[in-house]
Amino acid sequence: MNSQYLTDISYRHFIESVQDYAIYILNLEGIVVSWNIGAERAKGYTDSEIIGKYYGIFYSLDDQILKIPAQNLDYALKQGHFEGEGWRYKKDGNRFWAHVVIDPIYDYKGALEGFTKITKNITEQKNFLDKISYLAKYDTLTDTFSRNEFFNIAQTNINDLPQNNKLAICLLGVDTLKEIINNRGYRTGDKLAKNIADKIKQNLLPDEILARFSNDQFIALKIFDNKEDITHFYRRIYGCTNNIYSIDDQDFLITVAIGASIYPGDANNLIDLVNNAETAMIRAHKKINDRICCYDKKVDGKTQEIKMLAHDMSTAIEKNELFILYQRKYSLLHNDTSGYEALLRWQHPTLGLISPDTFIPVAEDTRKIIPLGYWILETVCKEVLTYKINKKVSVNLSPIQLKDPNFIENVSRILETTGYPTEQLELEVTETAFINDQTNTFKQLKELQAMGISISLDDFGTGYSSLKLLHDFKFDCIKLDRSFINDIEYNKKSVTFLQSIISLVNSIHLPLIAEGVENEVQLNTLKSIGCLEIQGYIFGKPEPLKEA
């Protein structure tokens, strides 16, 4: 018995004993001529049951009709190797996902003798990969497309959009879902989100796409070629979602707002298209009835500007675009500078110098004024100490900042870490700070005063409750609004009115500053009626502190 024969026997024994792979040989016609233990385990046939039968028996009936088994053998013969994956069937009719390799066998003369076929059951791996793929493409709660997958689908549709067709994006915001989650918990919120998604899906046509855009927003897509179709699309979604939903025996009345934008009319790229739909949705939220708004460049342009400013504001500090200017306050009694007011400025990289009247309301609406306010206070403290300014400096305080539960703690921390003397700090508040929660505002301001910080009432006289505030809270200073100063040069009635205010404030022994004083006539008039502290261009414009 020669060594080659022994080697062949050993190799055959090894192949037949392999249990994890189905390894068998086919003849030229695809008939099974050998069968190992792994094949019996994988497919359920014994060698006596399968040898002599065509290997296409492992394929689905559809694959057999399409002659896929024969095509695979032909591919292996022409290319020298076939490798692929697909469903294969066992003797009991159950299927498994198989990784298949087919190689042609040649004799020593190069004549084709048949094929070797190796099959591995990779159903578990496929299920795992399918799960990963599902998680990447779908929102598991609502079984709608994920945000990222929606962008992929929408971009593909834009790229392949047929001529004369348009693509509509419909962004739907659920009004009270966040509030329900906060009050009832995520379990109730999740059930509600799923019910809303189910309602929408029931009312979509086969060519319409739905995705969950955020916790309380859904986004839908439709390709259309006439206005009636798209109007019906918006109405269907809007009509089916405004409803009463019952969750755990609790009824919830849900209202929604829809913003829509159309490609290519409203934008020439997907990002702008979605942003425009969001802008329109913001406008729709403000409506009482029929809360569907289509993007309108003329109407929504201002909202887009605000969104852009809010976005750019997030990085303005780290990019060193923000800086502080200081305007002096002047005492007519002592003929000297009595202090400074710190004023924030923003040098935008493309828009140039932006007025505080433009960006401060945006900061307040987006609550970015809270971190911004702390940055301002810390910067002022550091700069004043650096330039050794031994005067009181006032910093404007937004009503939004007072709503921060850590406000007092953070102010104290900034003063402590910078070493800034509290007696040289004044915080200016306007009457709007007292409108919604006067009790809490009073409490916080008194805590600041207890720390040694002065509190001044800014823009005095512009609100309905000015006099009552003077009665209810002991301010350290009053700042007269510039609107009272503007016309005192030629309006005697304004002078009389101003004199009454100054007399009132002086009678309760409160320091009074008139701001917005720009010329000698205004200055002399104020001086003649008893206002002895002035702020305005007449004594200097806001400047960097080293030049103040």
Side-chain angles (χ1 to χ4, degrees), residues 325-384:
L325 297 181
Y326 298 81
Q327 187 173 38
R328 70 176 69 234
K329 302 173 186 178
Y330 194 82
S331 170
L332 298 179
L333 183 63
H334 300 101
N335 292 320
D336 193 13
T337 298
S338 58
Y340 297 91
E341 180 180 3
L343 301 165
L344 179 66
R345 296 292 185 263
W346 183 7
Q347 184 69 41
H348 192 278
T350 58
L351 299 177
L353 191 62
I354 304 175
S355 168
D357 292 340
T358 299
F359 71 82
I360 291 297
V362 176
E364 290 180 327
D365 288 343
T366 58
R367 297 184 69 84
K368 288 181 171 63
I369 194 66
I370 294 176
L372 187 58
Y374 294 133
W375 178 86
I376 294 169
L377 180 59
E378 186 170 1
T379 302
V380 168
C381 291
K382 289 177 178 178
E383 290 184 349
V384 171

Side-chain angles (χ1 to χ4, degrees), residues 293-309:
C293 286
C294 296
Y295 178 74
D296 184 322
K297 188 174 182 179
K298 291 181 179 179
V299 176
D300 295 318
K302 186 66 177 178
T303 304
Q304 289 286 55
E305 290 177 15
I306 291 172
K307 286 173 62 179
M308 185 204 71
L309 285 179

Side-chain angles (χ1 to χ4, degrees), residues 150 168-172 209-211 218-222 230 233-234 237-238 258-261 277 292:
F150 177 84
I169 294 289
C170 173
L171 187 61
L172 179 146
I209 302 297
L210 178 68
F218 293 90
I219 191 166
L221 175 153
K222 181 179 179 63
I230 198 60
F233 174 60
Y234 300 150
I237 295 177
Y238 183 72
I258 286 178
S261 61
I292 303 174

Side-chain angles (χ1 to χ4, degrees), residues 460-490:
F460 178 76
T462 58
Y464 72 94
S465 58
S466 299
L467 296 179
K468 189 174 189 306
L469 282 176
L470 294 184
H471 177 270
D472 292 343
F473 187 83
K474 184 174 176 53
F475 291 96
D476 298 290
C477 180
I478 301 297
K479 291 191 75 174
L480 195 61
D481 187 70
R482 66 181 63 244
S483 62
F484 294 111
I485 314 298
N486 291 338
D487 63 349
I488 60 174
E489 304 155 74
Y490 49 82

